Amino acid sequence: MTNRQLAALETKKKLLAAAKRIVQEKGLSNTSIEEITKACGVSNGTFYTYFKRKEDVIFAISYDVYQEIYEKAQAYDGTFMDRLIFFMENFSGYIEKSSLKLCQEWVRNTVDPDLINDPESTSKLTQDLASVQKLMESGIERGELKKDAPVDTLSHTLVDVLYGQMLCWDMSGGAYSFAARTEEFCNTFLDAIMRPYLTELKG
């Protein structure tokens, strides 16, 4: 990577960090592009080098983090169920830690009919589905899940649960812990959902 490319990457990271900090405090609707660029010491034009619109920042903020959560789940030392629980609990934990405002902005901009046709607005759902699917495919390869396990159906069901919990948490105004609610689901229901598809290698 050239010095110019490294500098561009660093500038983008600064823009994302500033946007995340400000949006967490004020919400996206009360945050201006000028405010973000001023916090980074760059011009408004620099912002548009990396993003088409303000809403794009919301989608960009989470992509790398959730890729890292998936990779850590794959490398987690334990059974298939341990890896799946690690992913789900860290998914919820990061959202809660990132702030209710940021999550509400992401949900609002994702379901906005004026934005939904933008590929960037659906990439998070696509990413999360792919992560759970790959965790299950890895479980099959390791002999922990049966070869005929309905990976697509199971993946969609678990992501539906996570997104449903996230929406309810948003609507409650953060009245309870999203991470604790996901942990409760994993402790109470996840084993019953996955048990028919686990092999004798399960712990």
Side-chain angles (χ1 to χ4, degrees):
M1 189 175 287
T2 66
N3 289 338
R4 184 175 180 179
Q5 290 172 322
L6 288 171
L9 183 62
E10 188 61 29
T11 299
K12 185 175 182 180
K13 285 181 179 179
K14 286 180 180 179
L15 285 167
L16 287 171
K20 181 178 179 179
R21 183 178 67 253
I22 296 168
V23 171
Q24 283 177 334
E25 295 172 357
K26 304 172 61 176
L28 188 66
S29 59
N30 295 319
T31 299
S32 68
I33 290 174
E34 183 176 6
E35 192 172 7
I36 295 170
T37 55
K38 184 177 180 180
C40 297
V42 299
S43 67
N44 285 2
T46 300
F47 180 91
Y48 291 107
T49 299
Y50 303 97
F51 308 105
K52 293 180 181 178
R53 56 200 171 92
K54 187 172 63 171
E55 289 79 7
D56 291 342
V57 173
I58 298 298
F59 309 123
I61 284 171
S62 66
Y63 185 86
D64 289 343
V65 172
Y66 284 97
Q67 180 62 25
E68 182 178 348
I69 289 173
Y70 159 72
E71 291 172 357
K72 286 183 176 179
Q74 280 285 35
Y76 193 74
D77 185 21
T79 65
F80 165 77
M81 290 296 289
D82 291 334
R83 295 193 298 277
L84 183 59
I85 291 170
F86 178 93
F87 176 84
M88 294 182 69
E89 292 184 350
N90 278 272
F91 175 101
S92 302
Y94 177 75
I95 290 174
E96 185 170 345
K97 188 186 301 183
S98 293
S99 87
L100 180 67
K101 276 188 179 293
L102 189 63
C103 185
Q104 289 172 332
E105 294 289 355
W106 180 83
V107 171
R108 182 179 70 81
N109 287 290
T110 299
V111 301
D112 187 329
D114 294 330
L115 301 176
I116 198 65
N117 290 326
D118 187 331
E120 289 297 323
S121 66
T122 56
S123 63
K124 181 67 171 66
L125 174 59
T126 302
Q127 179 190 20
D128 294 332
L129 281 169
S131 293
V132 178
Q133 287 170 344
K134 286 186 283 188
L135 282 171
M136 292 196 183
E137 289 165 357
S138 175
I140 292 173
E141 291 172 4
R142 299 183 193 200
E144 298 164 314
L145 277 182
K146 296 177 181 178
K147 292 182 179 179
D148 61 351
V151 170
D152 189 64
T153 299
L154 290 169
S155 300
H156 277 82
T157 298
L158 295 182
V159 172
D160 285 350
V161 168
L162 288 171
Y163 274 55
Q165 289 181 333
M166 177 173 62
L167 181 59
C168 290
W169 179 65
D170 279 346
M171 294 172 68
S172 77
Y176 54 87
S177 169
F178 177 22
R181 184 61 55 85
T182 300
E183 181 180 1
E184 182 180 47
F185 170 82
C186 290
N187 291 338
T188 307
F189 300 108
L190 190 59
D191 183 71
I193 292 171
M194 296 306 304
R195 185 189 299 272
Y197 311 107
L198 295 172
T199 67
E200 292 301 314
L201 296 179
K202 64 180 182 294

